[in-house]
């Protein structure tokens, strides 16, 4: 393939690009946060619980076969409902990271409210598996301008919710004396929700894409990011990509990505630890000033 422009990110010696396979174990939480009455819908709840009950075990087998360690973002409510699933993810050597408590909608909420959700999620992961996560991903990737400060105050070392770069960077958190926060950006084109999510009366376009098409699309992204020294961060949901044909396509993708010359396949935590060493001064995020009327 043609060599594209390089973004010039200094990956560890021997690597020219990085990739991380990440799983958001939303289960019932992402439905209940928007509509508590959905708890009455037995089939919808089952569609979601398929993630931790069937999807996660299948994905853990797949990752073990491929000898790949992944990052699992677990809402506190999922941890409270399925502590044994969280423990099995840990026992398989994967990273557990924070994903809200009940996958709460974050848009427009106060710093105080968001801090409550963060602390409640931390408590639940501790209860379930004695885990203190260093990584955070906002539910729906929806952050507020105060989010980096709240994360830094709680000792998180990275966030993976923003969509403003191809490679990790350091974030200015305005918290004096706190360790800096690394951002590892994401991309809606690399999320299985857009490809596979469909449930009548809840979500989706009504089109469930072919795993073959999705594999082709994600492979294009992986190759381009590899060619540009970039970072390939894939987000999958066990209630979607834990189903048979989708998991098989994902395994094919993992095999292909591992075969890319100099591709570092690792957890977000390890990417953040490396970025913390090599990234320059923190980027200052600023809310746009609206023009005067
Ligand atoms: Zn989620």
């Amino acid at each position: 393939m043609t060599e594209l422009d390089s973004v010039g990110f200094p990956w560890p010696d021997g690597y020219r690009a990085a990739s991380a396979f990440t799983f958001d174990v939303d289960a019932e939480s992402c439905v209940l946060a928007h509509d508590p009455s959905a708890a009455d819908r037995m089939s919808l709840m089952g569609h979601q619980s398929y993630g931790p009950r069937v999807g996660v075990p299948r994905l853990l087998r797949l990752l073990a076969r491929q000898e790949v360690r992944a990052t699992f973002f677990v809402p506190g409510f999922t941890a409270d409902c399925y502590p044994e699933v969280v423990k099995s993810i840990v026992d398989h050597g994967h990273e557990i990271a924070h994903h809200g408590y009940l996958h709460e909608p974050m848009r427009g909420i106060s710093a105080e409210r968001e801090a409550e959700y963060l602390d409640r999620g931390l408590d639940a992961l501790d209860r379930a598996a004695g885990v203190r996560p260093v990584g955070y991903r906002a539910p729906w990737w929806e952050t507020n301008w105060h989010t980096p400060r709240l994360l830094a105050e709680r000792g998180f070392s990275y966030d993976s919710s923003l969509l403003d770069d191809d490679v990790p960077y350091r974030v200015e958190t305005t918290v004096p004396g706190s360790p800096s926060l690394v951002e590892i950006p994401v991309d809606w084109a690399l999320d299985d929700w857009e490809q596979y999510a469909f449930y009548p009366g809840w979500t989706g376009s009504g089109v469930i894409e072919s795993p073959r098409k999705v594999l082709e699309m994600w492979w294009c992204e992986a190759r381009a990011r590899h060619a540009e020294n970039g970072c390939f961060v894939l987000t999958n949901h066990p209630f979607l990509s834990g189903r048979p044909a989708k998991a098989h396509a994902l395994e094919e993708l993992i095999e292909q990505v591992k075969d890319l010359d100099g591709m570092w396949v690792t957890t977000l935590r390890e990417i953040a630890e490396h970025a913390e060493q090599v990234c320059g001064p923190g980027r200052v995020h600023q809310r746009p000033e609206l023009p005067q009327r």
Side-chain angles (χ1 to χ4, degrees):
M1 70 184 292
T2 314
E3 194 75 4
L4 302 175
D5 289 342
S6 164
V7 296
F9 191 85
W11 295 110
D13 284 349
Y15 295 114
R16 57 165 299 143
S19 55
F21 293 91
T22 73
F23 299 90
D24 295 1
V25 194
D26 294 352
E28 293 95 331
S29 68
C30 59
V31 181
L32 296 175
H34 288 267
D35 179 9
S37 73
D40 296 334
R41 298 179 66 185
M42 184 177 176
S43 295
L44 174 53
M45 290 298 100
H47 178 261
Q48 297 305 114
S49 70
Y50 181 97
R53 288 190 308 97
V54 184
V56 170
R58 175 176 287 123
L59 293 165
L60 290 176
R61 293 193 298 274
L62 179 168
L63 292 166
R65 273 195 301 276
Q66 293 301 322
E67 299 181 336
V68 163
R69 283 179 304 123
T71 299
F72 287 75
F73 289 91
V74 182
F77 186 73
T78 300
D80 277 342
C81 295
Y82 306 95
E84 70 293 344
V85 173
V86 184
K87 286 194 203 100
S88 75
I89 295 169
V90 173
D91 289 345
H92 280 75
H94 301 293
E95 178 191 3
I96 299 285
H98 194 298
H99 196 41
Y101 181 77
L102 191 66
H103 209 277
E104 293 86 357
M106 295 289 173
R107 185 174 167 182
I109 66 170
S110 67
E112 290 72 25
R113 173 71 63 86
E114 189 165 337
E116 280 172 29
Y117 296 158
L118 284 171
D119 291 339
R120 205 171 170 198
L122 286 171
D123 289 346
L125 293 178
D126 185 31
R127 262 196 308 277
V131 170
R132 174 76 191 196
V134 299
Y136 174 72
R137 172 171 285 163
W140 305 106
W141 290 337
E142 188 75 47
T143 55
N144 293 298
W145 296 98
H146 52 241
T147 304
R149 172 175 63 79
L150 297 177
L151 296 177
E153 286 171 350
R154 283 158 182 76
F156 284 93
S157 60
Y158 75 87
D159 170 70
S160 185
S161 314
L162 299 179
L163 305 105
D164 57 352
D165 213 328
D166 298 324
V167 287
Y169 63 89
R170 194 189 307 274
V171 180
E172 174 55 58
T173 62
T174 69
V175 179
S178 80
S180 61
L181 188 72
V182 166
E183 176 62 34
I184 307 175
V186 289
D187 181 347
W188 277 110
L190 291 175
D191 188 316
D192 65 349
W193 195 290
E194 285 305 288
Q195 306 304 320
Y196 297 140
F198 170 68
Y199 200 95
W202 174 49
T203 192
S205 62
V207 177
I208 298 175
E209 297 287 359
S210 160
R212 193 53 47 196
K213 172 231 143 179
V214 177
L215 173 61
E216 181 192 338
M217 177 180 159
W218 288 344
W219 177 232
C220 283
E221 295 281 348
R223 276 187 310 173
R225 286 158 196 266
H226 172 260
E228 292 204 22
N229 295 138
C231 192
F232 175 79
V233 178
L234 188 67
T235 298
N236 283 318
H237 297 78
F239 75 88
L240 298 170
S241 286
R243 291 178 192 263
K246 301 176 183 76
H248 282 204
L250 175 62
E251 185 160 12
E252 234 178 288
L253 178 73
I254 291 174
E255 283 174 349
Q256 291 173 318
V257 169
K258 278 168 51 182
D259 275 350
L260 287 168
D261 184 44
M263 179 63 106
W264 187 23
V265 183
T266 187
T267 59
L268 291 182
R269 179 181 191 142
E270 290 190 359
I271 291 174
E273 284 170 359
H274 174 71
E276 165 63 27
Q277 300 299 314
V278 300
C279 287
R283 185 178 302 177
V284 178
H285 289 121
Q286 265 182 329
R287 183 180 187 278
E289 288 289 336
L290 293 171
Q292 299 291 323
R293 295 178 60 122

